[in-house]
Amino acid sequence: MTGYLWHGQEDLAELNKLILANRPKPDFPVGLPDTPETTAERRRILAEAVASACGTPAAYRRHLRNGEEPCPRCRQAESARRTARKSAQRARRRAEFCTPRGDDQ
């Protein structure tokens, strides 16, 4: 029998058979039913899980998106990001215009 998990690995063939024998039937209900309430709850949970902690540029943007005043930690993180970005841009510009001189000049 060739299973869908471990092709060609004979030492895992028994485990593969066990997994295939115990998988749920296609009509088996998994998770909560899709209702407006459960969908809203899933979105709330996902938003809380994905939300960046304060003190990051992503949290700064989240404050702005929610119409809030960014907290001091978020303002400081965004300021540091902008400073680093401008420094990198300046360094790239300097590298474009500065060419190394050879010993023959």
Side-chain angles (χ1 to χ4, degrees), residues 11-64:
D11 55 331
L12 298 174
E14 288 302 315
L15 181 58
N16 196 22
K17 288 178 189 175
L18 182 68
I19 290 171
L20 291 172
N22 291 317
R23 67 181 169 187
K25 303 295 181 234
D27 60 345
F28 185 78
V30 178
L32 297 173
D34 285 328
T35 64
E37 293 80 24
T38 57
T39 301
E41 183 67 11
R42 284 187 188 113
R43 286 186 180 156
R44 184 190 64 76
I45 291 169
L46 182 62
E48 287 177 3
V50 172
S52 298
C54 279
T56 63
Y60 176 86
R61 290 189 302 273
R62 186 184 70 237
H63 283 303
L64 296 180

Side-chain angles (χ1 to χ4, degrees), residues 57-99:
Y60 176 86
R61 290 189 302 273
R62 186 184 70 237
H63 283 303
L64 296 180
R65 191 172 49 246
N66 293 338
E68 304 167 350
E69 181 70 27
C71 66
R73 288 176 52 206
C74 291
R75 280 197 306 267
Q76 183 180 11
E78 178 63 13
S79 176
R81 184 196 67 83
R82 287 183 184 177
T83 302
R85 184 170 183 219
K86 283 189 178 194
S87 296
Q89 287 174 342
R90 287 186 191 118
R92 279 194 304 271
R93 271 192 238 123
R94 276 193 298 262
E96 288 174 7
F97 295 114
C98 296
T99 56

